[in-house]
Amino acid sequence: AGIVASLTPSNVKILPIKISHENNGSHSAYSSTMLSAYLRVINIYSKQYEVVCTNLSFGGAGKNSSSEAATFNAQAFQPLLDLNILSFTGASNNSQQNDITGYKAITVSALKEDGNSFVFDDDYSNYGKIVDISAPGSRILSAGISDTDGPSDTYVSKRGTSMASPTAAATAALLYLDPNLKDDFTAKDIENRLYDLAVDFGDVGYDGYYGHG
């Protein structure tokens, strides 16, 4: 939320949905809880608000197997696309190759700074055919909660595809604000424009580290 808020104007609003639970000091989420959150957007919030995209940075979310991907596609991502809502998700942080194809959420790998440019962060980011696009994911400042003895709010430096994914989602939100958009535009139009505007790092054209750029 802190990343999206810092990258977009005030007329871009955030609708947070809690999906995680704490387990021995760490946070995790079940696939069923993730699907429930998407269904809430589809059945309730899309009717109340002008929802343009979702971001889910947790691992999983249908990325673990082709059968899981098919479930999330059918129950969440395709119904969201039918409502002109794009879905974004992080590629995960296991330094592993993931070649699932046909996954309908825009999957984002992470970049790190390299001088005046960016390179794929092979310290943690997953890669492979599932990757659609890349975004900065290392040394990212976001809103955080400080220790009880400090101020009530602060900024913290984080890294991971969980930072890259909301960066890409915020960019898509900005594209939705373009006054030159045709009235009959679709979510896929926004997705294609996102790819067209991306800087082509890595191999020429699409590749499994940077996606479309």
Side-chain angles (χ1 to χ4, degrees):
I3 293 170
V4 173
S6 67
L7 292 174
T8 55
S10 60
N11 58 337
V12 173
K13 306 298 183 182
I14 298 169
L15 181 65
I17 302 175
K18 181 177 172 61
I19 63 167
S20 66
H21 61 276
E22 188 172 356
N23 183 15
N24 295 324
S26 62
H27 292 269
S28 57
Y30 299 114
S31 291
S32 58
T33 310
M34 298 179 192
L35 282 172
S36 294
Y38 283 123
L39 290 174
R40 190 182 303 177
V41 175
I42 293 166
N43 296 322
I44 300 175
Y45 294 140
S46 68
K47 297 176 174 62
Q48 298 175 337
Y49 306 100
E50 188 180 355
V51 181
V52 297
C53 60
T54 68
N55 177 73
L56 180 63
S57 294
F58 265 97
K63 297 188 292 288
N64 292 328
S65 68
S66 295
S67 60
E68 275 192 17
T71 297
F72 272 78
N73 282 343
Q75 297 187 28
F77 303 139
Q78 186 58 55
L80 286 166
L81 282 174
D82 292 341
L83 293 169
N84 264 354
I85 300 171
L86 289 173
S87 302
F88 288 81
T89 185
S92 298
N93 307 317
N94 313 111
S95 297
Q96 294 178 354
Q97 185 169 347
N98 187 334
D99 286 329
I100 291 175
T101 57
Y103 188 64
K104 294 188 177 182
I106 298 174
T107 306
V108 189
S109 65
L111 307 178
K112 62 183 177 182
E113 290 184 72
D114 182 38
N116 294 322
S117 187
F118 290 91
V119 295
F120 175 77
D121 198 330
D122 56 6
D123 290 338
Y124 60 86
S125 181
N126 285 10
Y127 56 95
K129 293 178 181 178
I130 198 169
V131 171
D132 294 299
I133 200 167
S134 58
S138 297
R139 298 176 62 189
I140 303 299
L141 287 178
S142 181
I145 301 174
S146 67
D147 296 334
T148 55
D149 293 335
S152 60
D153 54 81
T154 185
Y155 279 90
V156 293
S157 179
K158 298 182 178 182
R159 74 170 191 168
T161 59
S162 292
M163 313 304 120
S165 183
T167 300
T171 305
L174 292 175
L175 294 179
Y176 274 97
L177 295 176
D178 186 347
N180 295 317
L181 275 178
K182 296 181 179 178
D183 292 337
D184 60 347
F185 76 92
T186 66
K188 294 301 289 186
D189 292 332
I190 297 293
E191 180 179 358
N192 290 333
R193 191 172 183 203
L194 186 66
Y195 298 157
D196 289 343
L197 293 173
V199 178
D200 187 11
F201 292 118
D203 295 340
V204 176
Y206 175 88
D207 66 77
Y209 294 99
Y210 301 92
H212 294 276

